[in-house]
Amino acid sequence: MRITFNIKYKTNWGQRIFITGSCAELGGNALYEAKEMHYRNDGEWQLTVSLPDSTKTVDYRYVVEDGNNMRISEDRFHRATFGHGHDSYCLFDHWLSEPDDRTFYTSTFTKNLFARHDKKTENKSNQAEKNSPFVLRLSAPKIKPEQVVAVTGNQECLGNWNPDKAPRLSAENFPQWEIRLNADDITFPLEYKFIVAESDRPYDWEEGENRIINRPPADENGYTVVDDYPLRTSGFSWKACGTVIPVFSLRSDDSFGIGDIGDIKKLIDWTKKTGQHLIQVLPMNDTTCSHTWKDSYPYSAISIYALHPLYISIPMLGNLKDKKRMAFFNEIREKLNLEESVDYPSVENYKTAYCREYFRQEKENILNSDDFKEFIDNNKDWLLPYAAFSFLRDKNNTAEFSEWGEYAQYKREKIEKLCHPENEAYDDFLYLFFIQYTLHAQFESVSRYARQNRVVLKGDIPIGINRKSVEAWTEPGYFNMQGQTGAPPDDFSDTGQNWSFPTYNWDVMEKDGFSWWKKRFLKLNRYFDCFRIDHILGFFRIWEIPLGYTEGLCGHFKPAIPLPEEEIGKYGFTFDERRTTPCIHTRFLPDIFGENTGNGLYRYLRHIDAEHLTLNEFCSTQRKISSLFEGSRDKKSQIIRDGLMLIANETLFLEDPYRIKCYHPRISAYKSYAYRELSDENRHAFDRLYYDFYFLRHNSFWKETALKRLTPLINGTDMLVCGEDLGMIPASVHEVMNKLQIFTLEIERMPKTFNTEFTDLKTLPYHSVCTTSTHDITPLRAWWKENKEITQRYYNNVLHRNGEAPEECSTGIAEQIIINHLHSPSMLTVVPLQDWFAVDEKIKRPDPDAERINTPANPNNYWRYRMHITLETLLRADDFNGKIRNLITESKRY
């Protein structure tokens, strides 16, 4: 089979064009094994190769080489398909750069919003085989479902420029459109243009000059494919609206005390009914670590693959045949559904018991299921370690795998033996396999339902993993267990956040092409068309906290460029070792301990010089202090504990754990007692050093770091990617996100512009998600009551209302706030369900403080919020639903 590749590329002097592809004849995708093409004329390059007749597809890229032998390939692959009964193919391509409208090439549009659900039969007449096929093909992703692409030109077969006679293209491989013509019917030069057709609307002609093919292919009897430039359009502006709510927060008549996968389907119905097109959820991975309410934290996954067993839908699973037991569980379910919030331990206890009984009942049918066997076989690489982890966790009554004896270190051979059918505990493993199989089948079914109804499911991928997790056990090389992930001080917490996750060994991940992250994304793509990267700043640099700290103040950015002593001196700062040791001047003790200042403190403190005290060894870290005062409830103990915790943070510099005698200025050190102690000269020097370090020094470094990590991951998924870019944002973050077309997160009360109190919604970028609140901050009605002074300024300066702000956020005020967000330039406006409720007097919850999901400053937050009405009630709330639909329609959001 003879294949002729053609590309038109204007080269500079000394440049050459090559081609590499997935077959050996094209160099096996190796950049420097690529085959050189031959220059013809007028920028045209050509190469003819012979491939085996059995070849079905070839993926290939063109490569340009400069005079210094440096080679750069296209951003994306072309794909050629064969097997049409021809022995000669002639392919005409154009150079594939990353499209400016990449968003519309994601599965959010290609498999959901703009997908052709009946594409297999669309324009079938154009797909008949021709004697000399001549295929015109182009990419056109921004074509709505009610529209089609047609082509007209200077040929009878193209309607002779009459759009009414223009043949329509097939979208079988949307967003790629193509039409199969007969080369015998074409007289060259061929001149043509594409148009967009829609019933009862004028034709929309593409912009620019006519397209021209001057001469026929060399082999007029072969199979010719012209892969043309994308459809030329401008001014296309598409916007949509959605709802965000954790799955555990859903409530329906069928729930079992917690939201589940079946409830998502009902939420899809409500979303469609109100004219919305997106549902955003929080992470849905298994977090079962201790079988207590502390497992409610959805961002602390014990597996990056396993779904949480509590999200199984009991109605989708099936009934127990034992009527007494079924009645018992129905009674429990009704009681749990009456609870205002999630009773996590009770839900886990009873729902697990139900699933185990159902498994015993249906075990024979399950084991004989081909789908079940196929699921185990396709997922065994993660399923077996996950099942073994869960089994050993429960057997040893701890998820701390270092305490598992012979299984403390993961050995694949041992785990395969443990999970073997001949093992007496094999039924326990089969049950765990069954739970994950059921979750997958249910969720995949709901995901298909969402796509059929053009509702995008948006997932959430946590930045970290639990240090007691399957991955930390099985792939320890990827993680630095001596560090903790967190965040520096921000609007959520003055002392920063400590999430306790291990940090990543990015250099190890890079060596295998970030395969760990790619597999994470791939799993997510089974169910979602869009996802949010939690704390995307972690791909630029992570806030790493030493194990001895429980707060986040004494962390440092990793990677970073720490300061050697001599460089600190160049700022005019007088450096000495004491400034790297937590200590306090004696004159500040009354400020910290008040009336508890006295000789009793010297049990905890010791002198390092005449004026300064440091912590004694038994309480030298915050973890030791927390342990020492655990259980103490009296006021004096709490004051001493808090004071010692503060002193543990009292340092101006932190030594870098990876480079000796190199230092990081402590974050927010200007608020410390150590800073107050400095001379004016040293204070000014420290201020300059601090500003340069945190706001200038790392910009290029972190930009290169993020591009190196994110580019292969974004290029490896077809989901629409959004990033949570809140907090202390490096200057390069938005440059990188814009380059990779990652959507930013925009919140009106968390502006990204310095010295600004509220974000100007009219200035938001198109590639962004704007929202009224998140799970980490209070919903609208509760926020309105948090700070009367801030609310007053918002009322007068943002809502442009005169007079004194009302005590409560009325339905009218909530509606106006949402309207302002709906009319922003952001492509996506996503409103928390609690904030939607706020616009209706009959629907809204009586107590607005009960609607908060998380308090980031509290590391022991109980994640248990549930919507106060059922989804069935919500679907019947016609006035409320009509109001939402009208608000969305008036804002011209899809």
Side-chain angles (χ1 to χ4, degrees):
M1 185 166 59
R2 190 164 61 95
I3 316 296
T4 301
F5 297 92
N6 300 269
I7 187 168
K8 194 163 187 175
Y9 189 95
K10 295 287 187 180
T11 54
N12 297 321
W13 178 257
Q15 289 182 325
R16 297 184 294 169
I17 301 297
F18 294 76
I19 184 172
T20 184
S22 56
C23 58
E25 292 80 1
L26 293 178
N29 276 333
L31 196 63
Y32 282 89
E33 297 296 326
K35 305 305 177 184
E36 184 173 2
M37 302 185 74
H38 310 294
Y39 182 75
R40 298 183 70 192
N41 55 57
D42 196 26
E44 294 180 1
W45 297 78
Q46 187 178 84
L47 178 69
T48 299
V49 298
S50 293
L51 298 180
D53 291 341
S54 59
T55 305
K56 299 298 182 186
T57 62
V58 171
D59 294 326
Y60 60 98
R61 287 191 293 181
Y62 294 99
V63 178
V64 60
E65 180 187 271
D66 63 18
N68 298 316
N69 296 323
M70 292 293 294
R71 295 186 177 183
I72 299 175
S73 67
E74 295 176 281
D75 294 327
R76 296 179 294 144
F77 281 94
H78 303 261
R79 167 163 288 189
T81 59
F82 310 111
H84 305 93
H86 294 265
D87 56 11
S88 175
Y89 290 81
C90 192
L91 311 178
F92 292 87
D93 296 313
H94 66 279
W95 186 272
L96 289 180
S97 299
E98 198 58 56
D100 294 334
D101 54 355
R102 175 179 182 158
T103 297
F104 293 95
Y105 286 87
T106 64
S107 61
T108 289
F109 291 92
T110 62
K111 296 179 182 177
N112 193 311
L113 297 172
F114 290 179
R116 270 56 189 168
H117 292 153
D118 56 350
K119 60 186 179 182
K120 289 188 176 180
T121 58
E122 187 180 51
N123 304 315
K124 190 172 181 180
S125 61
N126 287 328
Q127 304 309 308
E129 287 295 339
K130 312 293 183 182
N131 293 329
S132 302
F134 189 93
V135 178
L136 280 179
R137 179 186 298 158
L138 85 163
S139 291
K142 294 185 284 192
I143 305 298
K144 297 176 184 178
E146 62 272 18
Q147 298 173 322
V148 294
V149 176
V151 60
T152 187
N154 63 346
Q155 313 284 323
E156 185 176 348
C157 62
L158 299 183
N160 283 323
W161 295 112
N162 184 346
D164 292 330
K165 296 181 179 180
R168 298 183 172 190
L169 281 69
S170 165
E172 185 170 345
N173 297 309
F174 184 79
Q176 192 177 78
W177 298 75
E178 72 171 47
I179 184 169
R180 203 168 298 169
L181 305 170
N182 192 337
D184 296 338
D185 297 335
I186 300 173
T187 302
F188 293 89
L190 169 62
E191 195 169 351
Y192 60 101
K193 248 186 178 179
F194 294 103
I195 56 177
V196 177
E198 181 178 351
S199 61
D200 302 325
R201 289 179 63 89
Y203 295 105
D204 187 8
W205 292 70
E206 70 169 330
E207 299 175 343
E209 300 294 324
N210 295 340
R211 302 175 187 242
I212 299 176
I213 299 176
N214 287 310
R215 57 176 180 271
D219 185 355
E220 295 186 22
N221 295 317
Y223 194 103
T224 301
V225 178
V226 176
D227 197 351
D228 220 330
Y229 290 94
L231 187 70
R232 302 183 301 243
T233 57
S234 66
F236 184 88
S237 180
W238 184 94
K239 297 192 292 185
C241 180
T243 292
V244 55
I245 185 74
V247 174
F248 62 77
S249 299
L250 297 174
R251 182 190 294 268
S252 75
D253 294 338
D254 295 326
S255 298
F256 206 112
I258 193 170
D260 58 42
I261 290 172
D263 292 336
I264 299 176
K265 189 173 183 180
K266 295 175 182 177
L267 186 63
I268 292 168
D269 292 338
W270 177 76
T271 302
K272 183 178 181 180
K273 188 171 189 175
T274 52
Q276 301 179 74
H277 287 276
L278 183 140
I279 293 171
Q280 178 178 329
V281 298
L282 270 57
M284 294 177 61
N285 298 93
D286 190 358
T287 57
T288 309
C289 196
S290 63
H291 295 293
T292 67
W293 66 266
K294 291 187 177 181
D295 294 342
S296 67
Y297 183 22
Y299 289 89
S300 186
I302 64 158
S303 169
I304 62 173
Y305 303 107
L307 294 169
H308 205 303
L310 294 188
Y311 291 141
I312 277 185
S313 167
I314 297 299
M316 293 176 73
L317 180 64
N319 291 333
L320 298 178
K321 294 176 182 177
D322 186 325
K323 293 183 179 179
K324 288 185 178 179
R325 294 299 291 166
M326 193 68 212
F328 167 77
F329 282 111
N330 276 335
E331 184 179 347
I332 295 294
R333 179 182 61 80
E334 289 173 5
K335 288 181 180 178
L336 290 173
N337 278 348
L338 290 175
E339 295 285 341
E340 182 176 303
S341 53
V342 178
D343 179 352
Y344 201 92
S346 296
V347 168
E348 184 188 20
N349 181 34
Y350 288 111
K351 201 165 187 179
T352 300
Y354 184 97
C355 290
R356 285 193 176 276
E357 290 195 29
Y358 184 85
F359 174 71
R360 287 194 291 270
Q361 170 185 295
E362 300 295 330
K363 180 180 173 183
E364 186 175 346
N365 293 332
I366 293 165
L367 297 185
N368 291 326
S369 165
D370 290 338
D371 287 345
F372 178 63
K373 295 174 186 175
E374 184 180 1
F375 174 79
I376 295 175
D377 190 54
N378 290 342
N379 297 277
K380 60 186 176 184
D381 286 346
W382 68 264
L383 188 60
L384 264 64
Y386 163 76
F389 180 94
S390 301
F391 172 79
L392 292 168
R393 173 201 61 210
D394 295 346
K395 181 180 179 182
N396 293 282
N397 294 314
T398 178
E400 183 53 74
F401 48 82
S402 63
E403 300 178 15
W404 289 352
E406 63 175 310
Y407 296 106
Q409 287 190 325
Y410 174 79
K411 301 290 183 184
R412 182 171 179 172
E413 299 78 12
K414 279 191 174 183
I415 297 309
E416 288 179 346
K417 186 177 180 181
L418 183 66
C419 298
H420 195 274
E422 293 181 2
N423 189 308
E424 62 181 12
Y426 188 59
D427 264 14
D428 292 320
F429 292 101
L430 281 175
Y431 170 74
L432 292 164
F433 298 161
F434 161 71
I435 290 297
Q436 288 303 312
Y437 162 72
T438 303
L439 286 160
H440 168 72
Q442 290 185 356
F443 202 4
E444 210 167 44
S445 169
V446 170
S447 179
R448 285 195 299 271
Y449 185 75
R451 284 177 172 170
Q452 290 163 3
N453 286 278
R454 303 197 189 280
V455 172
V456 175
L457 296 184
K458 180 183 178 184
D460 193 345
I461 194 162
I463 188 61
I465 62 160
N466 194 314
R467 61 179 55 246
K468 301 172 187 176
S469 66
V470 180
E471 283 71 38
W473 180 47
T474 61
E475 302 173 288
Y478 284 141
F479 310 103
N480 171 29
M481 303 299 285
Q482 303 309 308
Q484 307 174 91
T485 303
D490 55 19
D491 291 343
F492 298 128
S493 173
D494 290 337
T495 57
Q497 299 175 53
N498 185 341
W499 305 325
S500 299
F501 309 140
T503 54
Y504 294 118
N505 290 327
W506 282 103
D507 54 340
V508 177
M509 292 181 160
E510 185 181 359
K511 288 177 181 176
D512 66 7
F514 304 104
S515 63
W516 187 84
W517 281 99
K518 289 177 180 177
K519 287 186 284 187
R520 260 186 114 172
F521 285 17
L522 192 63
K523 175 66 174 176
L524 208 65
N525 205 6
R526 298 294 299 267
Y527 317 114
F528 299 101
D529 287 321
C530 177
F531 74 103
R532 164 192 180 270
I533 300 177
D534 170 51
H535 195 65
I536 196 172
L537 305 182
F539 284 84
F540 293 76
R541 78 293 183 273
I542 200 70
W543 190 246
E544 184 175 86
I545 306 163
L547 286 178
Y549 285 89
T550 58
E551 297 174 343
L553 268 179
C554 284
H556 63 274
F557 285 124
K558 176 188 177 186
I561 310 170
L563 296 160
E565 289 182 26
E566 58 271 20
E567 190 173 353
I568 294 174
K570 290 179 181 178
Y571 283 91
F573 186 86
T574 306
F575 181 84
D576 63 69
E577 292 282 340
R578 182 174 60 78
R579 305 200 189 278
T580 68
T581 303
C583 62
I584 192 74
H585 196 286
T586 54
R587 76 170 185 263
F588 296 127
L589 292 179
D591 291 354
I592 299 171
F593 296 101
E595 62 184 24
N596 296 295
T597 303
N599 292 333
L601 282 178
Y602 287 92
R603 179 192 170 201
Y604 308 103
L605 303 170
R606 61 182 174 84
H607 277 281
I608 55 173
D609 59 36
E611 298 178 320
H612 294 89
L613 297 163
T614 191
L615 297 164
N616 279 321
E617 181 58 33
F618 75 93
C619 60
S620 59
T621 70
Q622 288 185 334
R623 290 211 177 274
K624 290 179 180 179
I625 296 167
S626 294
S627 178
L628 188 65
F629 287 88
E630 188 174 3
S632 299
R633 296 289 182 266
D634 62 286
K635 186 176 180 181
K636 179 179 178 180
S637 295
Q638 291 178 9
I639 290 172
I640 293 175
R641 180 201 62 199
D642 293 347
L644 297 177
M645 296 284 273
L646 183 151
I647 292 173
N649 287 326
E650 277 296 314
T651 181
L652 287 178
F653 292 93
L654 301 158
E655 185 169 8
D656 187 87
Y658 310 103
R659 302 184 200 179
I660 299 173
K661 300 290 185 182
C662 290
Y663 303 91
H664 304 251
R666 203 212 78 184
I667 196 79
S668 299
Y670 54 86
K671 295 181 179 180
S672 70
Y673 288 105
Y675 180 82
R676 287 167 58 180
E677 196 182 337
L678 294 175
S679 66
D680 287 345
E681 184 180 355
N682 265 341
R683 202 175 293 175
H684 292 317
F686 186 86
D687 290 345
R688 291 195 303 274
L689 174 156
Y690 185 95
Y691 182 82
D692 285 350
F693 187 87
Y694 282 110
F695 300 104
L696 299 176
R697 184 180 183 88
H698 298 93
N699 285 343
S700 297
F701 176 59
W702 285 338
K703 173 185 173 182
E704 293 168 5
T705 299
L707 285 172
K708 181 170 61 175
R709 295 170 180 176
L710 284 170
T711 301
L713 301 181
I714 302 304
N715 289 342
T717 181
D718 67 351
M719 291 182 286
L720 176 61
V721 184
C722 307
E724 183 265 289
D725 55 331
L726 305 177
M728 191 174 179
I729 308 171
S732 57
V733 168
H734 293 145
E735 182 182 353
V736 171
M737 293 179 72
N738 187 55
K739 177 179 176 64
L740 299 178
Q741 296 186 43
I742 300 172
F743 280 35
T744 62
L745 177 61
E746 308 294 339
I747 303 174
E748 189 174 36
R749 56 183 123 142
M750 295 183 69
K752 296 173 181 175
T753 304
F754 180 71
N755 207 24
T756 302
E757 188 169 24
F758 302 108
T759 301
D760 183 354
L761 297 178
K762 300 184 187 67
T763 66
L764 298 184
Y766 180 56
H767 287 160
S768 68
V769 179
C770 83
T771 184
T772 52
S773 58
T774 75
H775 61 270
D776 280 334
I777 59 179
T778 46
L780 283 177
R781 292 166 63 219
W783 169 74
W784 192 266
K785 298 163 61 178
E786 276 183 349
N787 187 311
K788 187 171 178 60
E789 292 180 357
I790 293 176
T791 301
Q792 186 64 53
R793 290 194 294 272
Y794 183 83
Y795 185 75
N796 297 143
N797 302 331
V798 178
L799 297 183
H800 303 295
R801 299 192 181 195
N802 298 323
E804 186 176 350
E807 291 293 326
E808 303 284 338
C809 179
S810 66
T811 56
I813 289 174
E815 183 174 328
Q816 184 58 57
I817 293 172
I818 289 177
I819 287 172
N820 292 347
H821 284 73
L822 289 173
H823 285 266
S824 76
S826 299
M827 179 187 282
L828 299 175
T829 294
V830 181
V831 180
L833 191 60
Q834 305 97 301
D835 289 348
W836 279 128
F837 290 161
V839 306
D840 191 283
E841 201 67 47
K842 296 178 182 178
I843 293 290
K844 70 181 185 181
R845 195 177 196 134
D847 179 12
D849 293 327
E851 294 184 318
R852 182 156 192 176
I853 296 172
N854 178 43
T855 304
N858 177 14
N860 294 312
N861 185 76
Y862 192 172
W863 299 65
R864 60 188 312 202
Y865 164 73
R866 289 191 83 191
M867 55 190 290
H868 63 292
I869 60 175
T870 65
L871 287 161
E872 290 85 356
T873 301
L874 193 60
L875 282 162
R876 293 192 297 267
D878 293 337
D879 291 344
F880 172 63
N881 296 332
K883 177 186 285 189
I884 293 178
R885 191 175 188 93
N886 288 339
L887 293 178
I888 294 170
T889 301
E890 289 167 5
S891 69
K892 296 186 171 71
R893 287 195 171 269
Y894 198 32

